[in-house]
């Protein structure tokens, strides 16, 4: 499922390029455990900023970066735990923090997971190929960033309607930007552009996050481990259990960590979230919505639906109002003084981007649905942070006028504490199969997969998902060999 066939000529070129640019490639093992990095790297990285175009930042493709803009070392997983005063539920909700990845978003990991197997096998020719990153935003930011660190030509494809922050930054990083029609849920248009590139240019290599198992594998290995380690560290009493993990899905990369967690904690429930305004998984529905990064009117190839227990639709109006509540000074004042939420929590609510808020809402709905209590921990991630949505917050202020304590109280009551167990479905065999079968229309009808391959994802879990999950040590061996041959270590 992840092809590791070697192309000797390209590989030799890639190694030479890495030698010239002083690029050492981190292994999966090092991304999981950056504390084991050679001292030499830890010392050199002290002079490097988190977003700097420096190949050393490949070593910061991990959840364990010290949370600082410049010179950070490595510690434990970055996470925030949310108290009952904020969530309204008894269960403990923990959120891994994506802000402290280079680019401010964990998608840099997904793009790394897709690129690296092809780089160290030589299937991708870093000198002559252009790396194409089709995305609704953050994945192509991550792909362009990783490409730049490796001195590779990058093509970022994303919908025209995505936030200004994303375009502004991409202008400085990507070699080429292609804006496709529409917004968040217009992935078909991205696929069309990708196909056009594939047929009109012979120097492109497409890294399609929606089908690349490297995306799934990165989260299975790195995010899965980060959540498990965090849970083990904080679970408290011996009764503490990882009751659920909830992730909204864009490419369904992140939810790949659920496969790892379910192997370790078989009783855990795994929930997938999407926007109520585009309820593809819940209702085979479609529509436009404002939760940037998720829900794209199709089921990604790499979503292991067989392992998903619950589908949840989140009203984008809830996430928009909470974005304002979490970031406006009046909102923060209300939360501290009226709702009694600890100041250190409130002061960190800008760690939530819009999809992070949607993830939190999924966690709350799951906790309510399963009536989870104090010993239960629900895990999720904050893919990016509010840094990415300053222009959206301004737009909300422009459309709705000044914020106030009264509006904060209304938003808190309605959009957070008032969240109910509606618009969700606990999946049985038939429910899961219904969602899996929906893949047919994108992947077999449009994207060239065969029905037999689709069936394998359902009926041959060991030969498909199981095989992917075993690949990381083999890729690590290839990476180590690659690094040795550059002569840089
Ligand atoms: C902000 C944001 N949230 C959530 C997601 C969804 O994550 P995944 O693609 O791993 O499902 C993305 C994907 O690009 C994103 O950019």
């Amino acid at each position: 499922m992840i092809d590791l066939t070697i192309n000797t000529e390209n590989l030799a070129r890639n190694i030479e390029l890495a030698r010239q640019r002083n690029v050492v490639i981190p292994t999966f093992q090092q991304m999981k455990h950056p504390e084991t990095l050679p001292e030499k790297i830890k010392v050199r990285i002290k002079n490097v900023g988190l977003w700097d175009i420096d190949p050393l930042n490949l070593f910061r493709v991990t959840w364990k970066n010290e949370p600082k803009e410049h010179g950070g070392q490595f510690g434990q997983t970055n996470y925030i735990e949310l108290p009952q005063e904020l969530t309204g539920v008894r269960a403990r909700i923990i959120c891994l923090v994506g802000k402290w990845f280079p680019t401010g978003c964990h998608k840099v990991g997904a793009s790394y997971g897709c690129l690296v197997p092809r780089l160290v096998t030589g299937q991708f020719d870093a000198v002559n190929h252009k790396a194409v990153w089709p995305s609704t935003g953050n994945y192509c930011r991550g792909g362009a960033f990783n490409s730049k660190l490796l001195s590779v030509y990058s093509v970022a494809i994303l919908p025209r309607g995505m936030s200004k922050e994303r375009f502004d930054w991409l202008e400085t990083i990507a070699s080429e930007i292609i804006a496709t029609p529409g917004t968040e849920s217009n992935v078909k248009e991205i696929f069309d552009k990708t196909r056009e590139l594939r047929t009109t240019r012979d120097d492109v290599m497409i890294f399609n996050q929606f089908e690349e198992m490297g995306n799934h594998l990165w989260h299975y290995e790195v995010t899965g481990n980060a959540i498990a380690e965090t849970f083990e560290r904080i679970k408290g009493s011996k009764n503490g259990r990882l009751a659920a993990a909830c992730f909204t899905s864009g490419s369904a990369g992140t939810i790949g960590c659920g496969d790892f967690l379910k192997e370790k904690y078989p009783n855990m429930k795994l929930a997938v979230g999407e926007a109520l305004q585009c309820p593809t998984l819940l209702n085979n529905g479609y529509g436009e919505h404002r939760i940037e990064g998720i829900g794209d009117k199709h089921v990604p190839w790499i979503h292991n639906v067989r392992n998903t227990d619950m589908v949840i639709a989140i009203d984008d109006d809830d996430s928009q109002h909470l974005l304002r509540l979490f970031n406006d000074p009046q909102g923060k004042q209300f939360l501290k003084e009226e709702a009694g939420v600890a100041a250190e929590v409130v002061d960190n609510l800008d760690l939530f981007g819009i999809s992070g808020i949607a993830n939190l809402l999924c966690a709350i709905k799951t906790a309510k649905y399963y009536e989870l209590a104090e010993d239960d921990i629900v895990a999720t991630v904050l893919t990016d942070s509010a840094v990415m949505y300053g222009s959206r917050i301004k737009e909300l202020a422009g459309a709705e006028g000044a914020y106030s304590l009264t509006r904060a109280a209304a938003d808190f009551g309605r959009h957070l504490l008032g969240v109910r167990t509606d618009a969700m479905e606990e999946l049985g065999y038939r429910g899961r199969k219904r969602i899996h079968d929906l893949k047919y229309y994108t992947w077999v009808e449009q994207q060239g997969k065969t029905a037999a391959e689709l069936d394998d994802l359902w009926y041959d879990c060991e030969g498909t998902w199981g095989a992917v999950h075993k690949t990381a040590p083999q890729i690590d061996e290839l990476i180590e060999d690659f690094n040795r041959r550059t002569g840089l270590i």
Side-chain angles (χ1 to χ4, degrees):
M1 299 288 288
I2 296 185
D3 182 5
L4 297 180
T5 313
I6 304 286
N7 179 319
T8 320
E9 265 180 41
N10 289 350
L11 179 56
R13 254 196 298 277
N14 293 351
I15 290 169
E16 182 51 32
L17 181 71
R19 186 193 347 261
Q20 284 168 14
R21 309 284 179 184
N22 218 2
V23 178
V24 180
I25 314 275
T27 59
F28 278 92
Q29 198 56 24
Q30 288 171 327
M31 289 182 278
K32 288 192 291 192
H33 298 293
E35 67 279 5
T36 63
L37 286 173
E39 217 38 49
K40 201 164 95 176
I41 289 175
K42 289 189 194 160
V43 170
R44 282 173 52 210
I45 214 164
K46 281 187 185 154
N47 299 318
V48 179
L50 186 64
W51 291 44
D52 286 359
I53 303 302
D54 185 315
L56 278 176
N57 264 336
L58 290 172
F59 289 96
R60 290 204 173 112
V61 181
T62 172
W63 290 99
K64 295 181 171 178
N65 290 312
E66 190 181 348
K68 57 200 265 200
E69 303 291 344
H70 198 275
Q73 292 288 293
F74 305 98
Q76 289 177 328
T77 301
N78 291 308
Y79 80 100
I80 175 170
E81 178 169 346
L82 299 178
Q84 187 171 355
E85 292 79 22
L86 186 77
T87 63
V89 294
R90 292 161 64 196
R92 298 167 65 187
I93 296 179
I94 59 167
C95 312
L96 263 52
V97 171
K99 180 183 174 185
W100 300 109
F101 279 87
T103 76
C105 178
H106 78 44
K107 294 293 296 187
V108 72
S111 64
Y112 185 85
C114 295
L115 177 63
V116 106
R118 295 216 216 149
L119 183 79
V120 299
T121 53
Q123 290 166 24
F124 175 69
D125 176 343
V127 177
N128 296 310
H129 281 144
K130 294 176 173 160
V132 178
W133 304 99
S135 155
T136 52
N138 280 324
Y139 174 75
C140 70
R141 290 176 64 251
F145 183 78
N146 285 334
S147 304
K148 185 116 178 163
L149 301 191
L150 295 157
S151 302
V152 163
Y153 189 102
S154 66
V155 183
I157 306 184
L158 74 168
R160 195 164 291 138
M162 301 312 291
S163 74
K164 183 172 174 320
E165 286 84 348
R166 291 183 184 176
F167 277 100
D168 287 351
W169 182 84
L170 265 174
E171 296 283 348
T172 67
I173 302 291
S175 316
E176 199 177 327
I177 302 174
I178 299 177
T180 49
T183 56
E184 193 43 54
S185 56
N186 292 82
V187 167
K188 168 72 167 54
E189 290 74 1
I190 298 172
F191 284 162
D192 290 346
K193 178 52 75 178
T194 307
R195 181 166 336 142
E196 183 194 311
L197 290 186
R198 199 181 268 133
T199 48
T200 54
R201 296 194 195 177
D202 54 14
D203 61 350
V204 293
M205 179 158 278
I206 316 284
F207 294 93
N208 183 348
Q209 59 166 339
F210 302 95
E211 66 175 310
E212 291 278 340
M213 284 294 175
N215 179 5
H216 173 88
L217 179 65
W218 191 84
H219 285 288
Y220 174 88
E221 285 285 332
V222 184
T223 307
N225 265 283
I227 291 179
E229 268 185 37
T230 309
F231 163 71
E232 292 297 339
R233 193 152 42 82
I234 63 145
K235 68 182 174 187
S237 80
K238 66 178 176 4
N239 295 328
R241 64 175 190 134
L242 188 63
C246 309
F247 309 98
T248 49
S249 166
S251 68
T254 311
I255 201 170
C257 75
D259 283 16
F260 176 89
L261 294 170
K262 284 197 137 199
E263 280 165 22
K264 216 167 151 56
Y265 309 104
N267 294 325
M268 187 199 85
K269 301 288 184 192
L270 181 61
V272 63
E274 62 182 352
L276 183 65
Q277 285 73 9
C278 182
T280 307
L281 306 176
L282 189 65
N283 293 332
N284 299 3
Y286 52 89
E288 300 292 319
H289 68 91
R290 294 172 293 170
I291 308 177
E292 300 194 21
I294 70 161
D296 304 313
K297 293 195 282 228
H298 73 112
V299 184
W301 182 255
I302 62 168
H303 185 170
N304 184 4
V305 186
R306 240 191 136 123
N307 236 353
T308 305
D309 301 298
M310 168 79 83
V311 50
I312 304 173
I314 298 298
D315 194 328
D316 74 355
D317 210 34
D318 289 335
S319 53
Q320 295 290 318
H321 280 90
L322 295 180
L323 181 68
R324 212 151 170 220
L325 175 71
F326 286 2
N327 289 286
D328 192 286
Q330 296 276 299
K332 293 188 200 180
Q333 186 183 338
F334 169 82
L335 289 171
K336 285 179 196 168
E337 293 176 7
E338 303 295 328
V341 182
E344 77 252 28
V345 173
V346 177
D347 292 338
N348 274 316
L349 291 178
D350 60 357
L351 292 174
F352 288 71
I354 302 173
S355 73
I357 295 172
N359 278 343
L360 167 62
L361 294 170
C362 285
I364 292 173
K365 283 168 91 80
T366 301
K368 287 190 176 176
Y369 185 93
Y370 289 112
E371 302 180 288
L372 301 180
E374 285 77 3
D375 280 333
D376 295 317
I377 292 179
V378 184
T380 188
V381 302
L382 310 179
T383 306
D384 60 9
S385 73
V387 171
M388 225 54 87
Y389 303 101
S391 61
R392 294 290 188 232
I393 297 170
K394 272 201 198 115
E395 280 166 25
L396 284 172
E400 295 173 353
Y403 211 54
S404 64
L405 293 178
T406 314
R407 291 183 65 169
D411 285 346
F412 182 58
R414 178 162 175 208
H415 298 290
L416 197 50
L417 296 187
V419 163
R420 296 173 211 260
T421 54
D422 56 349
M424 53 202 297
E425 179 187 339
E426 190 169 24
L427 298 170
Y429 184 85
R430 290 283 154 208
R432 292 179 174 100
K433 188 72 178 10
R434 169 184 67 74
I435 297 172
H436 170 84
D437 286 351
L438 216 49
K439 287 186 185 177
Y440 179 87
Y441 303 97
T442 303
W443 298 105
V444 179
E445 280 200 349
Q446 295 170 22
Q447 301 299 325
K449 304 276 191 202
T450 65
E453 286 173 303
L454 180 63
D455 286 347
D456 283 347
L457 286 185
W458 187 261
Y459 297 109
D460 182 15
C461 289
E462 224 9 73
T464 54
W465 306 103
V468 171
H469 298 161
K470 292 190 185 86
T471 323
Q474 295 166 50
I475 300 175
D476 277 359
E477 270 180 35
L478 292 170
I479 294 173
E480 280 164 8
D481 191 48
F482 185 98
N483 288 336
R484 244 189 319 272
R485 289 176 61 190
T486 62
L488 295 172
I489 51 165

